[in-house]
Amino acid sequence: MVELAIDAAQEAGAYLRDNIGNIQHIERKGGEATNLVTEIDKQSEQIILRKIRQHYPDHDFLGEESGAHKISSPYRWIVDPLDGTVNYAHGVPIFAVSIAVEYNNELLLGVIYDPMRDELFTAERGKGAFLNGVRISVSRTSTLLESLLVTGFPYDVRKELDYHLRPFNEFLVKGQAIRRLGSAALDLAYVACGRFDGFWEGKLNPWDMAAGVLLVVEAGGRWTDYNGNSTTIYTPQMLATNGIIHDEMVNVLRTCFEDNHRS
Ligand code: IPD
Ligand code: CA
Ligand code: CA
């Protein structure tokens, strides 16, 4: 299954790389003017789905573009065929393909492929995390003040602006710096390999995070909700860190929502 996930991610990634700048048609989805979907997102998902179906016709599938295909198998493939669509649509070369497999709701494997840098991140439960075949681990940064943090915002950010901006304001002054790459999958992969020390985001989907959280955990990091409680990929709140700064980040998030505003 790992080999197939890698193969599918690389084929879809090559398709994305070859077609950047070639978008013919952009649609809006989910009732948000900023939530884009292109024929490239859909085609990339078809490349992946076709490959999975060839080998595992009876596995469940959850893809961002084609939704849930339920066959009632304990195996579920969770796919974001293009994570970083807004970057892609603007020609910014920061995007990735993300593929994960769950078995009975437990993550088994995760693959994230960045075709512009030819970086392949892979993780299997209990077997560690790798970048292009070389084992990776989270950073050893020990304080929030020395930490390079990353975050993202959902397409409907306008609906709950305060919920998303409170942590941003706090971490902006309490951390070393904040980045906003525009790809949650790469945000997590970069925490796993120690480029970033911590990532938080208020509202993610399972396909944004499934592969990435396994990478972080297998690389020795920690993944919880904003309260520091264990969570699942079906819960939108995300905090993933090198583990060392985790409690410090939870404390900041707690102070943001002390008045119980969307904690
Ligand atoms: C988005 C990206 C972005 C994150 C958004 C996601 P998409 O996914 O991961 O970084 O902030 O919440 O929806 O739409 O590019 O696949
Ligand atoms: Ca995504
Ligand atoms: Ca996507």
Side-chain angles (χ1 to χ4, degrees):
M1 270 191 282
V2 183
E3 291 308 316
L4 178 66
I6 291 172
D7 195 34
Q10 287 180 325
E11 190 180 328
Y15 171 79
L16 298 178
R17 189 182 53 229
D18 293 348
N19 284 284
I20 191 164
N22 248 346
I23 302 172
Q24 305 297 331
H25 188 60
I26 297 183
E27 291 168 36
R28 310 297 191 246
K29 67 177 182 183
E32 294 294 336
T34 50
N35 192 351
L36 311 181
V37 61
T38 70
E39 71 276 9
I40 311 282
D41 298 65
K42 293 179 188 169
Q43 187 55 33
S44 176
E45 185 155 316
Q46 284 310 310
I47 291 169
I48 298 163
L49 181 58
R50 226 177 287 132
K51 269 203 186 290
I52 296 167
R53 282 285 164 263
Q54 273 166 14
H55 294 83
Y56 300 106
D58 54 345
H59 284 185
D60 282 7
F61 180 89
L62 173 63
E64 176 171 11
E65 306 309 336
S66 61
H69 306 224
K70 274 198 180 300
I71 304 169
S72 294
S73 157
Y75 290 98
R76 182 188 296 123
W77 292 73
I78 302 163
V79 171
D80 192 334
L82 166 48
D83 188 54
T85 293
V86 175
N87 285 343
Y88 192 86
H90 288 264
V92 176
I94 302 174
F95 53 85
V97 178
S98 175
I99 301 179
V101 179
E102 275 188 340
Y103 180 75
N104 283 335
N105 296 319
E106 258 210 278
L107 285 163
L108 274 192
L109 67 91
V111 170
I112 294 173
Y113 182 55
D114 170 354
M116 303 309 287
R117 273 157 285 273
D118 196 21
E119 288 191 327
L120 178 72
F121 297 88
T122 54
E124 281 179 84
R125 171 166 299 279
K127 294 188 182 166
F130 299 84
L131 165 52
N132 290 344
V134 178
R135 188 178 281 274
I136 50 173
S137 57
V138 292
S139 72
R140 301 169 71 90
T141 307
S142 58
T143 67
L144 187 53
L145 194 57
E146 298 164 293
S147 291
L148 183 57
L149 306 175
V150 66
T151 190
F153 301 98
Y155 293 102
D156 64 357
V157 65
R158 291 160 190 78
K159 283 188 187 153
E160 290 181 292
L161 198 54
D162 195 43
Y163 166 67
H164 297 291
L165 282 184
R166 279 191 197 199
F168 188 88
N169 290 340
E170 287 299 312
F171 287 129
L172 192 58
V173 293
K174 296 197 166 113
Q176 182 179 64
I178 299 176
R179 300 289 177 260
R180 197 287 195 234
L181 291 191
S183 162
L186 288 179
D187 297 337
L188 287 162
Y190 283 17
V191 171
C193 70
R195 293 175 187 165
F196 291 136
D197 306 298
F199 168 51
W200 85 95
E201 185 159 346
K203 195 175 172 193
L204 285 175
N205 292 297
W207 45 81
D208 300 314
M209 62 168 117
V213 293
L214 188 63
L215 274 158
V216 169
V217 170
E218 287 297 323
R222 220 176 130 194
W223 159 50
T224 68
D225 65 13
Y226 281 5
N227 285 309
N229 296 322
S230 65
T231 182
T232 81
I233 60 167
Y234 302 98
T235 306
Q237 257 184 13
M238 153 69 60
L239 176 62
T241 72
N242 68 0
I244 310 170
I245 62 159
H246 205 89
D247 290 342
E248 241 191 302
M249 286 192 76
V250 168
N251 286 338
V252 170
L253 288 163
R254 285 214 179 107
T255 61
C256 289
F257 302 112
E258 252 162 7
D259 58 2
N260 274 337
H261 174 87
R262 182 77 147 81
S263 64

